[in-house]
Amino acid sequence: MITAILAFFIDAVMGDPRSKLHPVVLIGNLIAGIEGMLYGKEDSDKKKLVLGGILVVLVLLFTFAVVNGIMNLVKMLDNIYVVTLIEAFFLSFTISPKSLAAAGKELYGYLVADDLDNARYKVGWIVGRDTEDLTPGEVSRATIETIAENTVDGIIAPLFYFAIGGVPLAFLYRAVNTMDSMVGYKNDRYIYFGRVAARADDVLGYIPARITGLLFVVSAFILGYDGKKAWKILRRDASKHPSPNGGWAEATVAGALHIRLGGFNSYFGKVHFREYMGDPIEEIGFDHIMKTIRLMYTDTILF
């Protein structure tokens, strides 16, 4: 527990350093390199599926072996305080509460200043949808959805797997999540090649997502938001999300804040509808971004 708390404080001070040597960046480079060796555009769908599975196995084996080896070397140091600090330092690379909060606050600032052009541009850094024509409310919605969902992927899930298997398992989860973000798309290139990565992310995120949703309910009560509504919308709408896990965070936040998430999004010029979650008791505004950040931090501290 001390290691996790220290990791949280290290992240609060350092954030997510933008460096080519950041472990998650290195994992991304590893994924891209192996993908380049395995992917064949003319391969059959079955072959793409198999090779995508091999990608997952190779990345996970290599990531776990390297991190586990480093941690074993660290444990050879004859000082429990130094070992704990180093483990916390490595664990901090797997979580991103400060980065999530910083992204949300930056977008909040642009919206408050009525700088919609920059708000649209910067929200495009954290979401996959087209952002050129988003209204202020849609920018706010995209930001809220991202913070809510990434509370699972970027905070609770890595900490959950750290609790089970230490720093190596936390990195193993981050490797799976990074693969999903890189190859887990339902497009022509990745519909088969990225399927194993996407399923692995769904499986590993299953329990952490549900923990996150339940803690969001508790967080809503603590912060004076609508905890009862959060619980109601969690039960009613979580299953409406296209991801088996994403709805547990987003639906609960929607209920707590009396807003409605989901709706129409444009991807590469094509409009898609995602089921609504929550009730539009309040119109989504930029103040809801700050409330979501508070929920994210409270959820993290509770876990």
Side-chain angles (χ1 to χ4, degrees), residues 2 10 18 71 92 152 183 210 212-213 258 274 278 282 302:
I2 297 300
I10 290 170
R18 295 183 179 181
M71 290 301 104
S92 71
V152 180
V183 305
R210 282 140 185 84
T212 303
H258 290 174
R274 203 182 76 184
E282 297 180 25
L302 285 173

Side-chain angles (χ1 to χ4, degrees), residues 102-114:
K105 289 175 182 177
E106 183 179 23
L107 286 159
Y108 170 83
Y110 287 132
L111 291 169
V112 169
D114 201 25

Side-chain angles (χ1 to χ4, degrees), residues 33 60 122-123 129 132 169 185 187 193 206 243 262 266 269:
L60 294 188
K122 285 298 179 72
V123 80
R129 69 196 69 171
E132 295 84 359
L169 206 59
Y185 297 101
N187 56 24
F193 187 79
Y206 188 87
S243 159
S266 175

Side-chain angles (χ1 to χ4, degrees), residues 188-207:
D188 290 342
R189 180 179 177 88
Y190 294 124
I191 185 67
Y192 291 102
F193 187 79
R195 185 172 296 181
V196 175
R199 292 294 178 270
D201 187 65
D202 289 342
V203 170
L204 292 187
Y206 188 87
I207 295 175

Side-chain angles (χ1 to χ4, degrees), residues 21-296:
L21 298 178
H22 191 294
V24 177
V25 174
L26 295 177
I27 290 171
N29 292 337
L30 173 66
I31 294 166
I34 297 176
E35 178 191 349
M37 291 186 289
L38 295 179
Y39 182 84
K41 187 176 181 180
E42 303 304 322
D43 289 340
S44 67
D45 295 342
K46 183 178 180 180
K47 187 174 181 180
K48 288 178 182 177
L49 184 66
V50 172
L51 291 174
I54 293 173
L55 166 72
V56 172
V57 172
L58 291 177
V59 169
L60 294 188
L61 285 175
F62 187 83
T63 301
F64 187 84
V66 170
V67 178
N68 191 55
I70 293 172
M71 290 301 104
N72 284 336
L73 289 174
V74 168
K75 288 175 182 177
M76 292 174 65
L77 298 173
D78 192 23
N79 189 314
I80 185 63
Y81 300 107
V82 173
V83 171
T84 300
L85 185 61
I86 294 174
E87 287 182 337
F89 179 71
F90 273 88
L91 181 61
S92 71
F93 286 122
T94 71
I95 61 174
S96 53
K98 185 175 183 178
S99 296
L100 268 179
K105 289 175 182 177
E106 183 179 23
L107 286 159
Y108 170 83
Y110 287 132
L111 291 169
V112 169
D114 201 25
D115 186 354
L116 187 55
D117 287 339
N118 263 322
R120 287 168 171 167
Y121 174 69
K122 285 298 179 72
V123 80
W125 289 22
I126 61 173
V127 298
R129 69 196 69 171
D130 301 332
T131 62
E132 295 84 359
D133 300 316
L134 295 184
T135 65
E138 288 170 335
V139 171
S140 296
R141 174 169 69 85
T143 306
I144 291 164
E145 289 171 348
T146 298
I147 295 172
E149 189 167 6
N150 278 280
T151 302
V152 180
D153 299 338
I155 306 172
I156 303 303
L159 291 176
F160 173 80
Y161 285 103
F162 166 75
I164 293 174
V167 174
L169 206 59
F171 268 93
L172 186 135
Y173 170 77
R174 288 299 290 159
V176 168
N177 187 244
T178 304
M179 278 188 284
D180 180 56
S181 68
M182 291 179 65
V183 305
Y185 297 101
K186 294 180 180 179
N187 56 24
D188 290 342
R189 180 179 177 88
Y190 294 124
I191 185 67
Y192 291 102
F193 187 79
R195 185 172 296 181
V196 175
R199 292 294 178 270
D201 187 65
D202 289 342
V203 170
L204 292 187
Y206 188 87
I207 295 175
R210 282 140 185 84
I211 293 172
T212 303
L214 294 174
L215 290 181
F216 268 142
V217 174
V218 179
S219 300
F221 280 112
I222 291 173
L223 293 170
Y225 305 151
D226 196 339
K228 290 183 179 179
K229 187 75 169 178
W231 174 244
K232 176 183 176 180
I233 299 302
L234 168 63
R235 290 184 297 158
R236 192 190 77 185
D237 293 349
S239 61
K240 294 179 180 179
H241 197 282
S243 159
N245 301 325
W248 280 76
E250 291 187 30
T252 315
V253 168
L257 302 184
H258 290 174
I259 58 176
R260 186 173 69 180
L261 300 177
F264 292 96
N265 299 317
S266 175
Y267 298 92
F268 305 106
K270 294 183 179 181
V271 177
H272 300 266
F273 176 75
R274 203 182 76 184
E275 291 259 12
Y276 289 121
M277 292 177 291
D279 297 322
I281 299 170
E282 297 180 25
E283 184 177 352
I284 296 179
F286 39 75
D287 59 313
H288 291 112
I289 295 175
M290 298 305 295
K291 290 181 178 180
T292 306
I293 291 171
R294 294 185 195 110
L295 282 167
M296 178 269 292

